[in-house]
Amino acid sequence: MCGIVGYVGPKQAQDVVIEGLRRLEYRGYDSAGVALVSDGRIAWAKKAGKLANLEKVLSESPLPGATTGIGHTRWATHGAPNDTNAHPHLGNDARVALVHNGIIENFAELRAEVEAAGHELRSETDTEIAAHLLESALSTGATLTGAMQQVCARLEGAFTLVAVDAEDPSRVVAARRNSPLVVGIGEGENFIGSDVAAFIEHTREAMELGQDQIVTITREGVEVIGFDGAPAEGTRYHVDWDLSAAEKGGFDWFMRKEIFEQPRAIADALLGRHDRSGRLQLDEVRISDDELREVDKIIVIACGTAFYAGLVAKYAIEHWTRIPCEVELAHEFRYRDPILTRSTLVVAISQSGETADTLMAIRHARQQRSKVLAICNTNGSTIPRESDAVIYTHAGPEIGVASTKGFITQMVAAYLLGLYLAQVRGTSYADEIARVVAELRDMPDHVQRILDGADDLYALAEELEGARSVLFLGRHVGFPIALEGALKLKELAYLHAEGFAAGELKHGPIALIEPGLPVFCVVPPRGRDQLHDKMVSAIQEIRARGARTIVLVEDDDPGIEEFADTIIRLPRVSTLLQPVAAVVPLQLFACELASRLGHDVDQPRNLAKSVTVE
Ligand code: F6R
């Protein structure tokens, strides 16, 4: 949560920082602020609300020119999202300006200490304390880098800190523990960002920092040390996506663009993962085949939409590998003392790779000596770095806060993992695996055909604009899709929406059915006849009670028309792969409805793209 930017170089720092914040605004948009080092003093501005509010302030009262600066876009944790609590925060004598992402857990005792020493703290944040501590350390003659080192030694929790010193315009200093931070390496200029989107228009050369490291950027170079002061090195890498990938490309919302990118994203997720005969090769899985053969239990951990991808994964993995597979919300996982052994494989699914709940669950699993495999979209992020192995989803940057192409590629990666395990352990025949791989390769075309019919979904959204509540029903792998359809509607349209396993209806939820209530029903393919027929019975039952049934059903499934008020056609695919197709109409519907209701689809209220606090 929160986006942070730092710059030192020949350009106007304010422009670079504001542009960087614009690209990081998906991380939080409760307030924004900027601080510049100009003529031996800190010039700053900050404002509650979206970045546009800060830009208005800057245009009315411009800051002086400066070539060193930092910026922040906030997702509030401690303290209300108002002007005072916005970052940057200044030290007692306004010598230091500092921005922060994360939570300083021991801030209350530190606050009491500096207040006792006569400092006046202005905000309710945990952050401000770090600015005051930094300034105190500087007053003893330390450099900003040395002061940062002293302060980090005193802080507990998760933090990325970025600071500037009014008396030293040559450097920006940043530190990280359990929170994201990357360095952009330019020529005669260097950058700090929460992720590479912050500086991608200036450089594609990046450096990721390790845990508990401090980086000092100047025009001339980048220097990394550990919190203990020992010289350290970051890991350099080249960013292989460009600015246009992070822009809207003609769509009204990033989310809509990302929905339409899904055929390509699925194809990229499959790229290089199999040979011509369909035999899988997952080169990045750094766990040996022997170790994979010894796995006797799989636990998938994830949150939100990624958790639903995990639920889909369970059906596929158990079916193909016969290994028992549990799926657990990452934030519940370590608190229930799960049974983990050396032969448990923990699969952590995360689009951002920064979700704190998932990261903490990974650490717990590794402490118990279980192997962790991450399914992740963000190269160089913390979760893959802290895992034993990774399957990258290759969906490209996902900017819309609601996950779409991230989700679809998480499912694809989970299928690949299940099939790979089946191949290594010999639980499925090679021709069976090759058949599923071939079917996966057809999915981009199937999804494209659904996207080509988007107008029908938009018309449906127009019809249902007045709905107060919407239900989603599914069975088997259609159940997580029902949950995902409901989540999308909650988070984007702010509507009451629930997903249910259709078999559960009679055990309670059917009481919610009233005349006119829209209910989306995901019908399993006919391959699993019992499932299919039972779902059709459920549709009849709710229709008899007046529900408005919107039925997602495969092409040429006869006999469904009489129970459906609206039919959404899905391609004919095997049961386990149906979620990849079935989720797309639900994404389009939620995006369109939220847009019609006048909501900010890319930045829904109260949410942030990466949830980097527990
Ligand atoms: C919903 C959504 C969230 C995320 C969840 C996990 O549209 O995007 O529910 O899926 O916060 O995030 P990652 O996958 O980044 O760990």
Side-chain angles (χ1 to χ4, degrees):
M1 246 65 118
C2 302
I4 49 162
V5 184
Y7 175 73
V8 54
K11 299 185 178 115
Q12 280 304 316
Q14 179 180 312
D15 298 342
V16 177
V17 167
I18 294 290
E19 203 43 53
L21 291 180
R22 200 183 324 284
R23 298 194 200 295
L24 293 184
E25 212 183 358
Y26 70 88
R27 300 180 67 89
Y29 32 85
D30 288 333
S31 62
V34 56
L36 308 171
V37 182
S38 172
D39 284 339
R41 53 179 284 270
I42 301 284
W44 56 273
K46 54 188 189 174
K47 193 72 194 158
K50 294 192 175 176
L51 184 62
N53 296 0
L54 173 68
E55 287 181 289
K56 187 158 176 280
V57 170
L58 290 171
S59 70
E60 286 161 6
S61 329
L63 297 179
T67 56
T68 302
I70 59 175
H72 188 267
T73 176
R74 178 169 188 241
W75 187 84
T77 52
H78 284 80
N82 56 28
D83 290 354
T84 315
N85 290 332
H87 300 212
H89 290 282
L90 273 60
N92 215 39
D93 301 322
R95 175 175 168 184
V96 161
L98 173 131
V99 295
H100 167 220
N101 171 26
I103 292 178
I104 298 170
E105 282 170 359
N106 59 336
F107 87 100
E109 71 191 63
L110 294 171
R111 185 178 180 117
E113 180 188 311
V114 298
E115 279 178 342
H119 289 239
E120 189 199 333
L121 283 100
R122 300 165 193 94
S123 76
E124 303 155 304
T125 65
D126 52 340
T127 305
E128 193 180 1
I129 178 70
H132 283 250
L133 290 173
L134 263 185
E135 212 167 80
S136 302
L138 282 173
S139 66
T140 65
T143 61
L144 186 58
T145 310
M148 184 67 93
Q149 201 191 322
Q150 290 177 35
V151 172
C152 287
R154 304 211 52 207
L155 302 183
E156 288 166 18
F159 49 85
T160 303
L161 300 171
V162 187
V164 284
D165 173 4
E167 295 181 17
D168 183 359
S170 71
R171 68 175 80 195
V172 174
V173 176
R176 84 168 278 257
R177 165 178 287 169
N178 291 335
S179 233
L181 172 62
V182 281
V183 179
I185 299 172
E187 286 186 13
E189 58 182 354
N190 287 300
F191 308 80
I192 299 280
S194 298
D195 70 43
V196 294
F199 48 73
I200 190 76
E201 67 182 298
H202 304 287
T203 178
R204 289 164 74 178
E205 297 311 310
M207 176 192 280
E208 68 187 42
L209 287 199
Q211 197 59 279
D212 289 1
Q213 290 186 340
I214 295 172
V215 63
T216 303
I217 61 165
T218 59
R219 286 187 186 207
E220 293 76 34
V222 172
E223 213 175 273
V224 184
I225 56 170
F227 279 6
D228 58 2
E233 275 185 28
T235 313
R236 295 273 301 249
Y237 63 103
H238 180 76
V239 182
D240 54 13
W241 50 271
D242 60 17
L243 185 58
S244 68
E247 305 215 314
K248 284 189 201 149
F251 287 90
D252 52 349
W253 303 109
F254 278 112
M255 181 189 178
R256 206 186 303 267
K257 170 175 174 261
E258 287 157 9
I259 294 172
F260 277 83
E261 281 172 353
Q262 290 181 117
R264 189 207 45 77
I266 297 168
D268 286 354
L270 292 168
L271 212 62
R273 259 81 191 251
H274 55 85
D275 64 18
R276 277 159 180 258
S277 67
R279 192 176 165 76
L280 289 165
Q281 49 211 22
L282 296 185
D283 298 336
E284 326 109 286
V285 175
R286 300 177 300 254
I287 302 175
S288 73
D289 286 358
D290 279 343
E291 285 171 307
L292 290 179
R293 276 185 209 103
E294 269 158 33
V295 169
D296 59 11
K297 181 166 78 170
I298 293 175
I299 306 181
V300 182
I301 49 171
C303 302
T305 288
F307 173 72
Y308 301 148
L311 290 177
V312 172
K314 172 185 166 72
Y315 288 89
I317 290 175
E318 286 191 340
H319 180 70
W320 291 327
T321 68
R322 313 311 298 156
I323 308 172
C325 179
E326 298 168 15
V327 191
E328 178 113 20
L329 288 165
H331 35 87
E332 290 295 316
F333 178 67
R334 66 185 168 132
Y335 300 105
R336 70 161 176 95
D337 196 14
I339 300 169
L340 291 159
T341 68
R342 283 170 193 271
S343 47
T344 307
L345 177 67
V346 172
V347 177
I349 306 182
S350 173
Q351 187 286 131
S352 63
E354 300 293 351
T355 300
D357 293 311
T358 310
L359 183 60
M360 295 306 157
I362 289 174
R363 289 187 183 156
H364 179 77
R366 294 195 77 201
Q367 272 161 10
Q368 310 292 311
R369 306 291 163 89
S370 295
K371 288 263 187 269
V372 177
L373 182 146
I375 290 179
C376 183
N377 190 39
T378 313
N379 219 298
S381 57
T382 310
I383 285 177
R385 272 213 314 272
E386 295 209 11
S387 301
D388 298 290
V390 56
I391 300 179
Y392 280 113
T393 50
H394 298 310
E398 191 178 65
I399 308 291
V401 162
S403 187
T404 52
K405 62 178 182 169
F407 175 65
I408 225 163
T409 52
Q410 284 163 354
M411 290 191 287
V412 171
Y415 292 136
L416 290 174
L417 173 64
L419 293 169
Y420 186 68
L421 284 168
Q423 176 178 293
V424 168
R425 297 162 67 98
T427 49
S428 299
Y429 290 115
D431 62 335
E432 287 169 346
I433 295 173
R435 206 172 51 239
V436 184
V437 170
E439 231 195 310
L440 279 170
R441 289 174 59 190
D442 289 339
M443 290 314 289
D445 289 342
H446 291 317
V447 169
Q448 187 57 53
R449 270 196 294 280
I450 296 172
L451 294 171
D452 292 344
D455 284 347
D456 294 345
L457 275 317
Y458 298 161
L460 182 66
E462 187 179 357
E463 264 178 66
L464 296 183
E465 221 176 293
R468 302 280 311 275
S469 175
V470 182
L471 301 187
F472 295 77
L473 299 181
R475 285 192 85 109
H476 194 262
V477 283
F479 170 42
I481 296 308
L483 295 172
E484 171 64 0
L487 178 62
K488 283 288 159 289
L489 221 48
K490 284 180 222 183
E491 65 181 330
L492 298 171
Y494 317 149
L495 264 185
H496 171 251
E498 297 280 347
F500 295 109
E504 192 64 9
L505 265 187
K506 295 196 205 56
H507 303 284
I510 199 160
L512 290 171
I513 305 293
E514 58 187 18
L517 180 80
V519 185
F520 284 78
C521 310
V522 184
V523 181
R526 277 160 297 164
R528 303 278 169 94
D529 281 333
Q530 283 191 335
L531 272 180
H532 173 273
D533 296 350
K534 290 210 159 86
M535 186 68 205
V536 174
S537 304
I539 297 171
Q540 285 171 272
E541 285 158 18
I542 56 166
R543 190 113 187 294
R545 287 162 178 83
R548 184 192 192 304
T549 55
I550 302 143
V551 179
L552 286 81
V553 62
E554 65 180 357
D555 277 339
D556 334 312
D557 185 342
I560 208 83
E561 280 84 358
E562 54 180 310
F563 312 118
D565 293 301
T566 304
I567 292 198
I568 299 169
R569 290 288 174 193
L570 299 176
R572 289 202 72 171
V573 294
S574 59
T575 304
L576 282 171
L577 301 195
Q578 197 196 42
V580 176
V583 73
V584 179
L586 305 185
Q587 297 168 337
L588 285 167
F589 174 75
C591 178
E592 180 64 15
L593 185 59
S595 194
R596 288 185 161 274
L597 292 173
H599 299 317
D600 185 334
V601 170
D602 285 334
Q603 297 179 345
R605 69 183 180 202
N606 305 335
L607 289 173
K609 183 71 182 158
S610 325
V611 186
T612 53
V613 290
E614 273 185 282

